[in-house]
Amino acid sequence: MPAPRRLALTVVGLLVALLAGAAQAQDGFRITYETDQSRPDKARITGNVTNERSQDVYDVSVTAEALDARGKVVARGIAYVDSRIARGDSRQFSASVPTKPGIASYRVVVSSFRAGSYNQGP
């Protein structure tokens, strides 16, 4: 295969991977999600958070963000995921994000959690 064509295919592949938004890794988490834009006033973001860290995490929340074409956040919604996600486990989430003109894409990040042991009394 000629070098220019190989380069073009590589660039296209990278762009598809960057724009897909279906799976993002962040600080030991894997996030997959889908966006339902059927309502005019808000988008519904539903997905899963997988804990890929070496320890359990507690009080996990995600932030779903609507981005304009430049990547600037124009709207956001926050959702509590679960009180505990064991290492290797996944939990579902659902967040609403207000719809505004100029939204080009969405992203979801784990916005808060506590890591480590959780000891309850005797």
Side-chain angles (χ1 to χ4, degrees):
M1 178 180 307
R5 182 176 172 157
R6 207 173 28 235
L7 177 61
L9 289 174
T10 301
V11 169
V12 168
L14 287 172
L15 286 174
V16 168
L18 288 173
L19 296 175
Q24 295 181 351
Q26 177 219 349
D27 297 321
F29 296 98
R30 183 168 30 96
I31 303 168
T32 58
Y33 62 94
E34 294 181 356
T35 305
D36 176 3
Q37 297 175 294
S38 61
R39 295 182 58 178
D41 58 336
K42 61 183 156 185
R44 172 66 76 191
I45 314 291
T46 56
N48 287 295
V49 175
T50 301
N51 177 11
E52 295 183 334
R53 300 172 64 88
S54 62
Q55 55 190 323
D56 296 356
V57 292
Y58 301 90
D59 299 324
V60 180
S61 293
V62 295
T63 299
E65 300 174 322
L67 309 172
D68 67 11
R70 294 182 183 165
K72 179 182 174 189
V73 176
V74 295
R76 68 175 43 104
I78 299 172
Y80 182 74
V81 179
D82 206 328
S83 61
R84 176 178 177 258
I85 305 176
R87 79 181 163 158
D89 282 352
S90 297
R91 295 290 186 277
Q92 295 180 341
F93 67 87
S94 180
S96 293
V97 180
T99 301
K100 296 184 175 186
I103 293 175
S105 63
Y106 294 87
R107 73 175 167 210
V108 178
V109 296
V110 172
S111 49
S112 68
F113 69 95
R114 290 184 304 108
S117 303
Y118 183 75
N119 295 324
Q120 294 185 345

